Amino acid sequence: MGKTTAKKYIIPRYKTRIVGVSNTPISLISKKARMRELQRAHYNPFKISSSDKIFIDLLTASGTGALSKKQYHMSMRESDESYAGSLSWNRLRESIREFSGKQDIFPVHQGRAAERILSEIFLAPEDVTVSNGHFDTTEANFSKRGARPIDIPALKTSTAYHAQFRGNIDIDELRKRLDSPMSNKIKIILLTLTNNTIGAQPVSLHNVREAAKYAKKFNKLFMIDACRIAQNAYFIWRDEIQKQKSIPEIIRECFRVADIAYMSLKKDGLSHMGGFIVTNSAALTHAVAEKIKNVKKEIISGEGYVTYGGMSGSDMEKGAQGLKEVVRFTYLQERMNQTAYLQEQLVQAGVPIRDDAPPGGDAVFVDAGKLLAHIPPSQFPGKTLEVALYEEGGVRGCEIGSVMLGSRAEVETLRLAIPCRVYAKEHFDYVADVFGRIVKKKNTLSGFKITFDPGELRHFDGHFAPIE
Ligand SMILES: Cc1ncc(COP(=O)(O)O)c(C=O)c1O
């Protein structure tokens, strides 16, 4: 195991104000009722309704966080729902400028819309994009344009590998590809911060700067997927630059070296919906600056007007305030400590963690393949664990393994994503207890088969059944 920073106490920086209004009640239905729910849902937890049937929901941390009082106030009382020139847009745009240091800001309804728009503008069939890890929607959007996304994460054998920054891109491999005959096909170098694809692991500032340097040298577009850039900055602050820069300064330094960046406000925007694309047009090459003008056209045809891009005024107020709150040190420390605490409790309960990695950003990645070594990938150990977790304790996680990724799955994992500002230490203790019970009876668990396969994205809609 790598270094962890779990603290004995995780003290949330808030307290309950109005029970039943600012809190959502959660109910633990009986085991019998949970088994009935599973059968009704064809063993697919995406088909189970949330707080009345799910006790602790760790399906995703995207758009599922709690609002702050200020976010609530601004979104309910101050939002401006004007179609054009909304004051809420003005506030969001200023907040994004402050957060990113970039001047040209384009709104979209969520991160994948930014991916779609940028791929429409910058990619053509046969183009190649290279990344530390394309997120699955990024890969889908780039592939839809006929482009070929290639992941080159730093592996243990490469010089860019760093035990605390396992999300890094392999710089040697990047240089090799840029020097090769296929170089002219490479159109975008993309860094995803943090690297969700390999377990929410961070990327070092050194790695970001190196990738940017080579992109510039070889005249390639350097992009950042900034979904969790504040969490990533926290790791840089803690483990790389020994606290010499503030979190906002680190974030702006990452944005500064990117030609273009995009971000889903559902993650580090601490919002329920929204996203944006940013750039400094004046600093782009003439050809790229000409192309970026098309973002507005794409927003108008697919998202809405350029002063809301698919977001309501209320969404924009949440994002404007969320970007101010996410850079606060106390917030980030509490969030990272929650992840570290849950991971540490699970390890103590005998649960293996993917790659034995230190705690990453917003989620713990359980190695279901290792825990349930008697179940082969073809019988979906991640799905087995996902079902067992709900059956045993009403906890919902998300399989990221052979169900979700098919033959592309390298590890059979169950992701436990932690919504921000939602759960307390006791909730994590409970989850660890449930895992402890599962570990004890793991050899009695058997695999699953698919009874309805909708093809692409089957984890959302597929039907499953236990193998008797
Ligand atoms: C790294 C990364 N990029 C892009 C996206 C897509 O963002 P959205 O869900 O807002 O469309 C996600 C979503 O989880 C993500 O994790």
Side-chain angles (χ1 to χ4, degrees):
M1 279 299 302
K3 180 169 112 188
T4 70
T5 55
K7 298 272 183 336
K8 187 166 171 211
Y9 300 110
I10 300 169
I11 305 175
R13 297 298 201 276
Y14 51 86
K15 59 186 180 182
T16 305
R17 195 159 61 95
I18 312 173
V19 176
V21 177
S22 59
N23 287 354
T24 301
I26 49 176
S27 40
L28 181 60
I29 59 173
S30 70
K31 190 164 185 179
K32 234 183 187 169
R34 296 198 294 269
M35 288 165 81
R36 267 201 312 272
E37 267 311 301
L38 281 168
Q39 274 175 9
R40 189 200 52 73
H42 301 280
Y43 296 91
N44 186 342
F46 275 93
K47 295 174 183 291
I48 300 177
S49 71
S50 68
S51 305
D52 57 339
K53 301 281 190 315
I54 289 165
F55 192 44
I56 296 182
D57 198 352
L58 306 180
L59 182 73
T60 173
S62 175
T64 55
L67 296 179
S68 69
K69 192 160 109 185
K70 183 92 187 265
Q71 279 181 300
Y72 181 74
H73 171 84
M74 293 303 289
S75 65
M76 298 304 285
R77 299 284 178 85
E78 305 289 339
S79 62
D80 176 1
E81 303 297 345
S82 302
Y83 186 93
S86 153
L87 296 179
S88 298
W89 163 243
N90 292 351
R91 279 190 278 272
L92 176 60
R93 188 183 50 198
E94 286 318 304
S95 186
I96 297 171
R97 282 183 177 152
E98 171 70 19
F99 180 76
S100 68
K102 298 276 197 212
Q103 288 308 306
D104 302 311
I105 320 289
F106 307 98
V108 291
H109 83 278
Q110 64 183 94
R112 63 200 70 186
E115 294 162 355
R116 181 189 58 75
I117 289 170
L118 292 171
S119 48
E120 294 281 339
I121 293 174
F122 289 106
L123 294 175
E126 311 296 318
D127 285 348
V128 169
T129 63
V130 183
S131 177
N132 58 332
H134 295 83
F135 181 65
D136 58 10
T137 55
T138 322
E139 176 168 335
N141 276 304
F142 288 8
S143 301
K144 236 181 211 158
R145 288 288 294 162
R148 192 154 63 91
I150 298 175
D151 288 345
I152 48 166
L155 302 174
K156 272 191 179 163
T157 47
S158 75
T159 54
Y161 180 79
H162 188 304
Q164 294 301 124
F165 292 97
R166 296 176 186 221
N168 283 355
I169 192 168
D170 187 333
I171 293 291
D172 295 339
E173 187 59 35
L174 177 64
R175 207 178 36 220
K176 237 187 270 162
R177 285 175 191 255
L178 287 168
D179 258 336
S180 76
M182 60 106 68
S183 178
N184 64 340
K185 287 194 181 297
I186 299 177
K187 290 291 154 26
I188 295 174
I189 297 167
L190 174 75
L191 277 198
T192 308
L193 312 179
T194 55
N195 191 343
N196 207 358
T197 309
I198 60 150
Q201 292 293 313
V203 179
S204 71
L205 186 55
H206 176 73
N207 196 250
V208 173
R209 285 176 173 152
E210 283 286 288
K213 187 178 86 186
Y214 284 108
K216 197 166 185 158
K217 182 172 171 198
F218 287 87
N219 198 21
K220 305 295 178 192
L221 204 52
F222 184 56
M223 277 192 201
I224 285 184
D225 174 339
C227 274
R228 297 177 183 84
I229 196 167
Q231 296 174 45
N232 199 80
Y234 176 84
F235 287 104
I236 291 173
W237 178 89
R238 192 190 72 186
D239 296 331
E240 185 182 11
I241 63 165
Q242 275 79 45
K243 311 167 180 75
Q244 288 160 20
K245 282 183 195 284
S246 68
I247 300 285
E249 283 169 343
I250 298 169
I251 292 171
R252 283 195 292 267
E253 173 61 9
C254 293
F255 275 112
R256 189 185 65 76
V257 298
D259 297 311
I260 297 169
Y262 60 90
M263 178 166 172
S264 163
L265 285 168
K266 298 176 74 174
K267 286 82 176 170
D268 279 356
L270 306 184
S271 299
H272 299 145
M273 192 47 74
F276 59 84
I277 297 169
V278 288
T279 189
N280 276 343
S281 298
L284 298 173
T285 63
H286 179 70
V288 176
E290 282 303 302
K291 282 190 175 174
I292 206 84
K293 288 182 183 159
N294 293 324
V295 169
K296 281 191 176 173
K297 284 187 210 148
E298 288 291 333
I299 290 175
I300 291 171
S301 63
E303 294 288 290
Y305 191 55
V306 291
T307 58
Y308 73 90
M311 287 179 276
S312 67
S314 171
D315 291 330
M316 292 193 281
E317 293 291 354
K318 289 174 198 163
Q321 179 60 22
L323 290 175
K324 294 190 169 93
E325 294 175 12
V326 77
V327 300
R328 289 181 192 157
F329 183 75
T330 46
Y331 164 77
L332 284 169
Q333 191 178 43
E334 176 194 321
R335 182 144 182 67
M336 299 305 119
N337 282 349
Q338 279 193 334
T339 311
Y341 181 79
L342 176 59
Q343 181 155 320
E344 197 168 286
Q345 299 312 299
L346 292 180
V347 169
Q348 277 173 23
V351 177
I353 302 299
R354 178 184 168 156
D355 300 329
D356 287 332
D362 58 336
V364 174
F365 288 73
V366 172
D367 191 333
K370 213 184 233 180
L371 180 66
L372 306 176
H374 60 288
I375 301 176
S378 58
Q379 294 181 11
F380 311 121
K383 165 61 64 184
T384 304
L385 192 56
E386 183 187 63
V387 168
L389 189 60
Y390 180 72
E391 185 179 315
E392 192 62 38
V395 180
R396 177 160 68 171
C398 183
E399 191 262 11
I400 301 187
S402 292
V403 172
M404 185 189 275
L405 304 171
S407 57
R408 286 184 295 127
E410 286 172 11
V411 197
E412 302 295 328
T413 52
L414 181 71
R415 184 187 67 192
L416 306 171
I418 302 176
C420 53
R421 304 189 287 208
V422 168
Y423 292 118
K425 177 176 176 289
E426 287 74 11
H427 295 111
F428 302 126
D429 290 338
Y430 173 83
V431 173
D433 283 349
V434 174
F435 265 98
R437 297 202 294 272
I438 293 173
V439 167
K440 281 197 186 111
K441 62 176 196 184
K442 62 179 184 178
N443 291 328
T444 66
L445 300 176
S446 52
F448 274 77
K449 60 186 176 192
I450 299 182
T451 52
F452 165 64
D453 189 342
E456 210 186 328
L457 302 176
R458 62 188 181 179
H459 56 293
F460 288 125
D461 231 15
H463 294 180
F464 306 87
I467 296 170
E468 303 300 341

Short mmCIF file of all heavy atoms in Angstrom, two decimals, residues 62 110-113 115 135 137-138 192 194 196 225 227-228 262 264 266-267 274, ligand 1:
data_model
loop_
_atom_site.label_atom_id
_atom_site.label_comp_id
_atom_site.label_asym_id
_atom_site.label_seq_id
_atom_site.Cartn_x
_atom_site.Cartn_y
_atom_site.Cartn_z
N SER A 62 -21.10 12.40 -9.56
CA SER A 62 -21.33 13.41 -10.60
C SER A 62 -22.71 14.03 -10.44
O SER A 62 -23.72 13.37 -10.70
CB SER A 62 -21.19 12.75 -11.97
OG SER A 62 -21.53 13.66 -12.97
N GLN A 110 -23.35 20.02 -20.04
CA GLN A 110 -22.49 19.19 -19.18
C GLN A 110 -21.24 18.81 -19.96
O GLN A 110 -21.11 19.14 -21.15
CB GLN A 110 -23.22 17.98 -18.60
CG GLN A 110 -23.72 16.95 -19.58
CD GLN A 110 -24.49 15.82 -18.86
OE1 GLN A 110 -25.69 15.89 -18.76
NE2 GLN A 110 -23.81 14.79 -18.38
N GLY A 111 -20.32 18.09 -19.30
CA GLY A 111 -19.00 17.85 -19.88
C GLY A 111 -19.03 17.20 -21.25
O GLY A 111 -18.29 17.59 -22.17
N ARG A 112 -19.90 16.23 -21.45
CA ARG A 112 -19.88 15.49 -22.72
C ARG A 112 -20.31 16.34 -23.90
O ARG A 112 -19.96 16.04 -25.04
CB ARG A 112 -20.70 14.20 -22.60
CG ARG A 112 -22.15 14.38 -22.34
CD ARG A 112 -22.76 13.12 -21.76
NE ARG A 112 -22.29 12.88 -20.40
CZ ARG A 112 -22.58 11.79 -19.69
NH1 ARG A 112 -23.30 10.83 -20.22
NH2 ARG A 112 -22.14 11.65 -18.45
N ALA A 113 -21.07 17.41 -23.63
CA ALA A 113 -21.46 18.33 -24.71
C ALA A 113 -20.20 19.06 -25.19
O ALA A 113 -20.03 19.29 -26.39
CB ALA A 113 -22.50 19.32 -24.20
N GLU A 115 -17.22 17.84 -25.10
CA GLU A 115 -16.46 16.85 -25.87
C GLU A 115 -17.02 16.73 -27.29
O GLU A 115 -16.27 16.67 -28.27
CB GLU A 115 -16.55 15.48 -25.19
CG GLU A 115 -15.86 15.43 -23.84
CD GLU A 115 -16.32 14.26 -23.00
OE1 GLU A 115 -17.23 13.51 -23.41
OE2 GLU A 115 -15.76 14.08 -21.90
N PHE A 135 -11.81 9.62 -20.77
CA PHE A 135 -13.00 9.15 -20.06
C PHE A 135 -13.93 8.49 -21.08
O PHE A 135 -13.81 8.76 -22.28
CB PHE A 135 -13.68 10.33 -19.36
CG PHE A 135 -14.89 9.93 -18.58
CD1 PHE A 135 -14.78 9.10 -17.48
CD2 PHE A 135 -16.15 10.38 -18.95
CE1 PHE A 135 -15.90 8.71 -16.77
CE2 PHE A 135 -17.28 9.99 -18.24
CZ PHE A 135 -17.16 9.15 -17.15
N THR A 137 -17.04 8.83 -22.03
CA THR A 137 -17.82 9.68 -22.95
C THR A 137 -16.89 10.41 -23.93
O THR A 137 -17.26 10.67 -25.07
CB THR A 137 -18.66 10.74 -22.18
OG1 THR A 137 -17.80 11.51 -21.34
CG2 THR A 137 -19.74 10.08 -21.36
N THR A 138 -15.67 10.73 -23.47
CA THR A 138 -14.70 11.39 -24.35
C THR A 138 -14.36 10.44 -25.50
O THR A 138 -14.37 10.82 -26.68
CB THR A 138 -13.40 11.72 -23.57
OG1 THR A 138 -13.72 12.13 -22.25
CG2 THR A 138 -12.61 12.79 -24.27
N THR A 192 -6.43 14.28 -18.72
CA THR A 192 -7.62 14.24 -17.89
C THR A 192 -7.18 14.34 -16.43
O THR A 192 -6.42 13.51 -15.94
CB THR A 192 -8.38 12.91 -18.12
OG1 THR A 192 -8.58 12.75 -19.54
CG2 THR A 192 -9.73 12.90 -17.44
N THR A 194 -8.52 14.65 -12.49
CA THR A 194 -7.67 13.51 -12.28
C THR A 194 -7.94 12.43 -13.35
O THR A 194 -8.91 12.56 -14.10
CB THR A 194 -7.94 12.88 -10.89
OG1 THR A 194 -9.36 12.57 -10.82
CG2 THR A 194 -7.65 13.85 -9.76
N ASN A 196 -9.58 9.57 -14.30
CA ASN A 196 -10.71 8.74 -13.87
C ASN A 196 -10.57 7.30 -14.33
O ASN A 196 -10.88 6.35 -13.61
CB ASN A 196 -12.00 9.35 -14.46
CG ASN A 196 -13.20 9.05 -13.63
OD1 ASN A 196 -13.10 8.36 -12.64
ND2 ASN A 196 -14.35 9.55 -14.02
N ASP A 225 -9.03 18.05 -19.83
CA ASP A 225 -10.36 17.73 -19.30
C ASP A 225 -10.25 18.03 -17.81
O ASP A 225 -9.61 17.31 -17.05
CB ASP A 225 -10.66 16.24 -19.56
CG ASP A 225 -11.96 15.78 -18.91
OD1 ASP A 225 -12.42 16.45 -17.97
OD2 ASP A 225 -12.50 14.74 -19.33
N CYS A 227 -12.44 18.22 -15.31
CA CYS A 227 -13.53 17.81 -14.41
C CYS A 227 -13.17 17.88 -12.93
O CYS A 227 -13.94 18.33 -12.12
CB CYS A 227 -13.92 16.37 -14.70
SG CYS A 227 -15.07 16.21 -16.00
N ARG A 228 -12.00 17.36 -12.60
CA ARG A 228 -11.62 17.28 -11.18
C ARG A 228 -10.27 17.98 -10.95
O ARG A 228 -9.42 17.50 -10.22
CB ARG A 228 -11.57 15.80 -10.74
CG ARG A 228 -12.93 15.15 -10.84
CD ARG A 228 -12.92 13.68 -10.49
NE ARG A 228 -14.24 13.10 -10.68
CZ ARG A 228 -14.73 12.66 -11.83
NH1 ARG A 228 -13.98 12.74 -12.94
NH2 ARG A 228 -15.95 12.17 -11.91
N TYR A 262 -11.90 21.99 -21.05
CA TYR A 262 -13.34 21.91 -20.82
C TYR A 262 -13.57 21.26 -19.47
O TYR A 262 -12.69 20.57 -18.93
CB TYR A 262 -14.06 21.12 -21.94
CG TYR A 262 -13.60 19.69 -22.10
CD1 TYR A 262 -14.21 18.66 -21.38
CD2 TYR A 262 -12.56 19.38 -22.96
CE1 TYR A 262 -13.80 17.35 -21.53
CE2 TYR A 262 -12.13 18.07 -23.11
CZ TYR A 262 -12.75 17.06 -22.39
OH TYR A 262 -12.33 15.76 -22.53
N SER A 264 -16.78 19.68 -16.73
CA SER A 264 -18.14 19.41 -16.28
C SER A 264 -18.30 20.06 -14.92
O SER A 264 -17.53 19.79 -14.01
CB SER A 264 -18.37 17.89 -16.17
OG SER A 264 -19.51 17.63 -15.38
N LYS A 266 -20.47 19.31 -12.91
CA LYS A 266 -21.09 18.32 -12.02
C LYS A 266 -20.09 17.68 -11.07
O LYS A 266 -20.46 16.93 -10.18
CB LYS A 266 -21.77 17.23 -12.86
CG LYS A 266 -22.88 17.78 -13.75
CD LYS A 266 -23.47 16.72 -14.65
CE LYS A 266 -24.36 15.78 -13.85
NZ LYS A 266 -25.07 14.83 -14.72
N LYS A 267 -18.82 17.93 -11.31
CA LYS A 267 -17.79 17.35 -10.42
C LYS A 267 -17.24 18.49 -9.57
O LYS A 267 -17.87 18.88 -8.60
CB LYS A 267 -16.69 16.65 -11.23
CG LYS A 267 -17.12 15.32 -11.82
CD LYS A 267 -17.88 15.50 -13.08
CE LYS A 267 -18.25 14.20 -13.74
NZ LYS A 267 -19.18 14.38 -14.84
N GLY A 274 -24.26 21.30 -15.69
CA GLY A 274 -23.51 22.39 -16.30
C GLY A 274 -22.11 22.02 -16.75
O GLY A 274 -21.60 20.94 -16.43
C1 LIG B 1 -13.11 12.69 -16.58
C2 LIG B 1 -14.49 12.97 -17.09
N1 LIG B 1 -14.64 13.64 -18.23
C3 LIG B 1 -15.86 13.92 -18.73
C4 LIG B 1 -17.00 13.51 -18.07
C5 LIG B 1 -18.34 13.82 -18.66
O1 LIG B 1 -18.98 14.83 -17.92
P1 LIG B 1 -20.56 14.88 -17.81
O2 LIG B 1 -21.01 13.74 -16.97
O3 LIG B 1 -20.84 16.22 -17.19
O4 LIG B 1 -21.10 14.81 -19.20
C6 LIG B 1 -16.89 12.79 -16.88
C7 LIG B 1 -18.08 12.31 -16.18
O5 LIG B 1 -18.05 11.59 -15.21
C8 LIG B 1 -15.60 12.52 -16.37
O6 LIG B 1 -15.41 11.85 -15.23
#
